[in-house]
Amino acid sequence: MEVLTPQMMAKCDRETIDSGYPEILLMEAAAYGVARIAVEILKKEFEFKAKAELKLTFLVGKGNNGGDGLAAARILKNWGYQPEIIFSTEAEKLKGVNSKNYELASLNQVKYYHFSDLKEAQFLSKIENSDLIIDALLGTGIKGELRGNIKNIINLINQKRQSKPLTLAVDIPSGVIGENGRIAGEALNADYTVTMAAYKRGLLLYPGRDYCGQIKVVSIGIQPETIEKNSDSLKAFKQQEAVRLKPDRINNGHKGSFGKVAVLAGSRGMTGAPLLSTKAALRSGSGLVYLLTAEEIEAQTSVQLEEVVGIPLVSKKGMVSANSFPQILQFSKKVDLLAAGPGLGRSSEISDLMEKILKELELPLILDADAINAIKNLELLKKYKGELILTPHPGEMSALTGISIEEINNNRIEVARDFAEEHGVNLILKGAATITAAPDGRAYINTSGCNGMATAGSGDVLTGIVSALKAQKMSCFEAAALAVYLHGRAGEIAAAKTSNYALIASDIIDNLPQVWQSLE
Ligand SMILES: NC(=O)C1=CN([C@@H]2O[C@H](COP(=O)(O)OP(=O)(O)OC[C@H]3O[C@@H](n4cnc5c(N)ncnc54)[C@H](OP(=O)(O)O)[C@@H]3O)[C@@H](O)[C@H]2O)[C@H](O)CC1
Ligand SMILES: [K+]
């Protein structure tokens, strides 16, 4: 599913209208989507309350977001509900389709108030007595910090109300900036968001994402071709993509048919990281996983995970030595890919080794953690003879690019895309929300995951999953995006069982089987 900026969305609206499709029909479809989802919510939450007893309050602004709300209020009135509208502005000054929808709502006797005519206590009592608030104050047309009555309304609801009624946001919670998910000073917190035609970036990027609750996309008459044409190949990765992309498994396969993975990882004191990566690869479909690790710790890691084949490498002070390169080169001919980094440690030997690997190997490489920290010359990435997947967190990305962590997090999509395009690599920019970018400009925003996954070893697990998927003959970009999604889902399931506080990286691996089952 495409993810658009407000400008792209406006272009889709404009092209559809210019092609002869009446604007009021687009708005009616948007409103119908809002009304339909409102009814679903009401039926679920207030099973035993009659329609006429339910209190629905629409907060309506003067733009088209307000127009969607006005039309939805009229539709719900026609379905037997008793909605009330609170206008942020003088309703009589609405223009175009919004003015028409005001006329129609008045014709159908929808009750309305102007915010300015209500005393603070009256307004708050209306809010607190509502079973459902429908937020149609501001949509993608927001400019600058909140101001005027809309600011007062949002401020009063956020600061003064005693209890929080259920809230459904129209298109995007008011105050969230559609372009980047930042907050215009304040925003209304929604339990549900009904968004029109496609995701907007602000719904999936933080902090905006925290305000959206459950997001439902409704189609409003804009053709998929129009959306695709005006989008920039940024998509949301969800369960349906996971089901579609999961690698096939043949019934007459043997352990070599499902990919041979080599993981170059571990050092003295860092035996957990390689175990997490290799175990996650085994739990993600790999038939054969080899652990290439410092000879000092190989016996120890092999004892801890029976299914992994341990390959001891020449080491120095507990770390893999640069002199192990001939062994790695030789071994690379036997496997489908090499994943390097987890727990390797930092030293000039590791940097030298990574340089040799990037100069001389040809098989697909997945670089994480210390393998990323070891890259001293970015030119080597572009020159690498095989395919590359890098999985940095913002700290590693900052070290790699010199861009500050803050700037990376404020521009996650652009930073990931630019790096992938410039260096010809597939990139997973970890953190919330994880972005996966391909060298040709395609990118996914991941939709799974939870804050409990910000825990030691979580990245090592991801490396294992990516490796297994790539070794099962997926493209690098799709293997990376699917791995991020599965990792996130396994984390969510683990957190549901243990809590975000108690979640540890091995819980993610333990819940991978349930995620795989959900794809069948
Ligand atoms: N055909 C379509 O375009 C469709 C759009 N849909 C819905 O429309 C909105 C986008 O509508 P738009 O009118 O472009 O913008 P908004 O309704 O979001 O808001 C514009 C008004 O809000 C005022 N505004 C802007 N910024 C602020 C702020 N920071 N604080 C307070 N008020 C603000 C602005 O007022 P001015 O004073 O600047 O004039 C505008 O009047 C989209 O989100 C959809 O919900 C439908 O989906 C159908 C098709
Ligand atoms: K809104």
Side-chain angles (χ1 to χ4, degrees):
M1 166 84 58
E2 271 78 6
V3 183
L4 305 183
T5 62
Q7 289 74 13
M8 291 171 196
M9 192 66 240
K11 233 171 144 221
C12 293
D13 286 342
R14 186 49 40 216
E15 278 182 20
T16 306
I17 294 163
D18 288 350
S19 73
Y21 202 93
E23 186 174 5
I24 198 144
L25 276 192
L26 285 182
M27 194 167 267
E28 193 69 9
Y32 179 81
V34 172
R36 188 171 52 79
I37 306 279
V39 170
E40 268 176 32
I41 298 169
L42 293 169
K43 284 196 173 151
K44 192 173 101 196
E45 303 278 346
F46 305 99
E47 209 181 333
F48 300 110
K49 238 177 170 174
K51 279 182 191 177
E53 284 172 43
L54 285 163
K55 285 196 70 64
L56 314 186
T57 304
F58 281 75
L59 301 172
V60 167
K62 69 174 172 179
N64 285 348
N65 194 254
D68 291 351
L70 266 174
R74 184 227 320 137
I75 292 170
L76 283 163
K77 175 84 192 327
N78 293 345
W79 290 350
Y81 295 87
Q82 297 297 328
E84 285 188 0
I85 292 172
I86 301 177
F87 283 108
S88 68
T89 180
E90 284 172 70
E92 298 69 22
K93 287 190 182 160
L94 294 174
K95 296 197 188 90
V97 280
N98 302 330
S99 153
K100 188 73 198 167
N101 269 316
Y102 167 58
E103 250 176 61
L104 294 174
S106 307
L107 208 67
N108 286 11
Q109 292 166 358
V110 180
K111 220 169 169 184
Y112 66 87
Y113 303 88
H114 289 125
F115 175 70
S116 318
D117 298 337
L118 295 173
K119 298 208 166 69
E120 188 178 302
Q122 272 178 307
F123 172 75
L124 285 171
S125 126
K126 283 194 178 301
I127 296 295
E128 272 160 25
N129 291 324
S130 299
D131 294 308
L132 183 67
I133 305 279
I134 292 110
D135 159 23
L137 287 170
L138 266 175
T140 49
I142 189 170
K143 299 259 170 338
E145 293 277 294
L146 288 186
R147 52 191 146 76
N149 280 347
I150 291 185
K151 179 176 174 167
N152 296 337
I153 290 174
I154 294 180
N155 198 263
L156 273 177
I157 295 177
N158 284 348
Q159 308 295 323
K160 296 258 175 93
R161 57 143 174 73
Q162 307 288 313
S163 58
K164 184 197 173 294
L166 265 185
T167 302
L168 184 162
V170 176
D171 206 24
I172 186 164
S174 299
V176 175
I177 301 170
E179 176 84 32
N180 50 33
R182 278 175 231 157
I183 306 300
E186 255 188 285
L188 272 185
N189 234 308
D191 301 282
Y192 298 88
T193 297
V194 176
T195 200
M196 312 312 163
Y199 286 104
K200 318 297 162 342
R201 285 185 179 194
L203 303 177
L204 299 180
L205 293 171
Y206 288 94
R209 183 155 153 180
D210 277 335
Y211 288 77
C212 295
Q214 264 189 51
I215 304 170
K216 316 240 178 198
V217 183
V218 293
S219 77
I220 63 169
I222 296 173
Q223 292 307 298
E225 296 78 17
T226 309
I227 295 174
E228 206 175 318
K229 190 183 106 198
N230 288 302
S231 80
D232 65 350
S233 308
L234 175 68
K235 295 190 179 182
F237 201 105
K238 300 179 64 197
Q239 181 78 3
Q240 69 195 58
E241 280 75 22
V243 171
R244 182 168 58 81
L245 291 175
K246 73 171 188 297
D248 290 332
R249 290 188 71 87
I250 48 170
N251 286 328
N252 59 346
H254 55 84
K255 62 180 186 275
S257 318
F258 302 112
K260 293 181 219 141
V261 168
V263 177
L264 170 61
S267 56
R268 189 167 58 209
M270 294 292 281
T271 52
L275 289 169
L276 289 168
S277 296
T278 48
K279 194 168 180 191
L282 285 161
R283 283 271 185 228
S284 303
S286 266
L288 270 171
V289 180
Y290 299 93
L291 174 58
L292 283 59
T293 194
E295 58 196 356
E296 276 189 37
I297 64 163
E298 188 274 322
Q300 192 187 338
T301 50
S302 290
V303 156
Q304 287 187 56
L305 193 56
E306 295 93 337
E307 295 87 347
V308 166
V309 183
I311 309 290
L313 299 179
V314 180
S315 69
K316 199 169 165 183
K317 293 187 190 155
M319 278 193 240
V320 174
S321 143
N323 293 334
S324 68
F325 179 71
Q327 283 175 283
I328 295 171
L329 177 65
Q330 197 53 33
F331 201 79
S332 73
K333 293 175 185 145
K334 285 179 58 171
V335 291
D336 295 302
L337 62 84
L338 177 71
L344 269 183
R346 293 190 195 200
S347 71
S348 57
E349 291 267 335
I350 299 288
S351 291
D352 292 348
L353 180 61
M354 282 316 302
E355 190 172 327
K356 285 187 182 151
I357 285 175
L358 282 166
K359 278 185 174 158
E360 293 185 44
L361 295 192
E362 293 182 1
L363 80 175
L365 271 187
I366 294 158
L367 304 184
D368 181 30
D370 290 328
I372 298 178
N373 293 325
I375 300 170
K376 299 290 169 244
N377 176 5
L378 287 179
E379 285 295 302
L380 292 179
L381 296 176
K382 186 128 212 178
K383 288 189 186 144
Y384 183 62
K385 294 196 254 336
E387 296 175 296
L388 272 173
I389 303 176
L390 268 67
T391 68
H393 58 56
E396 288 156 356
M397 191 68 186
S398 175
L400 208 54
T401 57
I403 305 172
S404 72
I405 294 178
E406 193 188 358
E407 205 182 327
I408 290 171
N409 280 330
N410 283 339
N411 301 285
R412 297 180 65 80
I413 299 168
E414 289 71 23
V415 168
R417 271 189 161 154
D418 290 353
F419 191 91
E421 284 188 58
E422 191 180 337
H423 301 285
V425 302
N426 296 276
L427 188 96
I428 295 174
L429 179 55
K430 295 189 287 205
T434 297
I435 308 294
T436 305
D440 62 6
R442 284 173 300 158
Y444 275 116
I445 303 188
N446 187 45
T447 62
S448 64
C450 55
N451 61 46
M453 299 180 73
T455 183
S458 180
D460 306 327
V461 174
L462 178 64
T463 298
I465 307 174
V466 184
S467 308
L469 297 181
K470 175 60 195 156
Q472 285 167 87
K473 304 194 173 48
M474 290 186 75
S475 75
C476 282
F477 175 58
E478 287 175 345
L482 177 58
V484 170
Y485 178 80
L486 301 181
H487 182 247
R489 280 295 298 136
E492 286 169 6
I493 297 169
K497 293 178 186 167
T498 64
S499 91
N500 274 311
Y501 296 95
L503 197 153
I504 55 173
S506 49
D507 297 334
I508 304 173
I509 302 177
D510 292 346
N511 286 286
L512 279 170
Q514 201 171 324
V515 179
W516 282 110
Q517 280 167 356
S518 77
L519 302 186
E520 275 162 13

